[in-house]
Amino acid sequence: MKLRTSTSHEEGAVREFAIATKEFIGKGGKVTGVKTVRMELRDGQLTEIPGSEEVHKADLVLLAMGFVSPVGSVIDAFGIQKDARGNAHAHTDEGGYHTNVEGVFAAGDMRRGQSLVVWAIREGRQAARAIDQHLMGTSVLPR
């Protein structure tokens, strides 16, 4: 294992290790926070540290999971339709990347399956524009 530092870390990003998301907290269909718990390696297994739960305020949650298949239970929990390969089904037309659930978007590996990072970057940018249009009614972000 290597600890690597990128320019974003040098700009003031905070690094957190061994933290698991336990729950999304919301009100009226909108996310308001994320409940987490600290983890430790015990007998070769990651286990929760009792009493370490925290709630972090949030009004937007982005799941960046990298080169893995989507977690079916997460997609199911949101009621998102899946494609034939078990990925989140999301349209890519103008104003796209929206799923069948109002206000829920999917891009990158979550939508297309495991692929190259350049596709994830492209789709992430396009999804950001689609989300901006959804929230603001218009967007000045590049296409």
Side-chain angles (χ1 to χ4, degrees), residues 69-84:
S69 298
V71 178
S73 60
V74 172
I75 294 174
D76 294 341
F78 280 93
I80 298 169
Q81 292 175 349
K82 297 178 192 175
D83 66 13

Side-chain angles (χ1 to χ4, degrees), residues 27-45:
K27 187 174 184 177
K30 298 187 187 273
V31 67
T32 59
V34 179
K35 184 185 290 186
T36 63
V37 64
R38 297 215 174 255
M39 306 291 285
E40 67 181 348
L41 193 60
R42 195 181 303 152
D43 298 324
Q45 296 281 338

Side-chain angles (χ1 to χ4, degrees), residues 1 11 13 17 19-20 29 34 36 44 49 54-55 57 62 65 81 87 93 126 132-133 140-141:
M1 295 178 78
E11 291 175 357
F17 298 96
I19 295 176
V34 179
T36 63
I49 299 173
E54 292 181 67
V55 175
K57 289 182 181 179
L62 301 174
M65 295 185 276
Q81 292 175 349
N87 299 319
D93 54 353
Q126 290 178 330
D132 192 31
Q133 285 177 317
V140 296
L141 295 175

Side-chain angles (χ1 to χ4, degrees), residues 4-114:
R4 296 175 192 221
T5 301
S6 71
T7 53
S8 61
H9 293 112
E10 293 169 352
E11 291 175 357
V14 176
R15 295 183 190 201
E16 296 279 358
F17 298 96
I19 295 176
T21 301
K22 295 286 290 181
E23 177 182 358
F24 294 124
I25 300 167
K27 187 174 184 177
K30 298 187 187 273
V31 67
T32 59
V34 179
K35 184 185 290 186
T36 63
V37 64
R38 297 215 174 255
M39 306 291 285
E40 67 181 348
L41 193 60
R42 195 181 303 152
D43 298 324
Q45 296 281 338
L46 277 176
T47 57
E48 295 181 10
I49 299 173
S52 67
E53 284 190 356
E54 292 181 67
V55 175
H56 307 272
K57 289 182 181 179
D59 56 10
L60 175 68
V61 176
L62 301 174
L63 303 178
M65 295 185 276
F67 216 71
V68 297
S69 298
V71 178
S73 60
V74 172
I75 294 174
D76 294 341
F78 280 93
I80 298 169
Q81 292 175 349
K82 297 178 192 175
D83 66 13
R85 296 179 297 153
N87 299 319
H89 179 69
H91 302 279
T92 57
D93 54 353
E94 179 61 31
Y97 296 94
H98 57 280
T99 66
N100 61 298
V101 178
E102 177 67 23
V104 177
F105 296 77
D109 290 2
M110 179 67 83
R111 189 193 70 78
R112 65 185 298 128
Q114 295 177 353

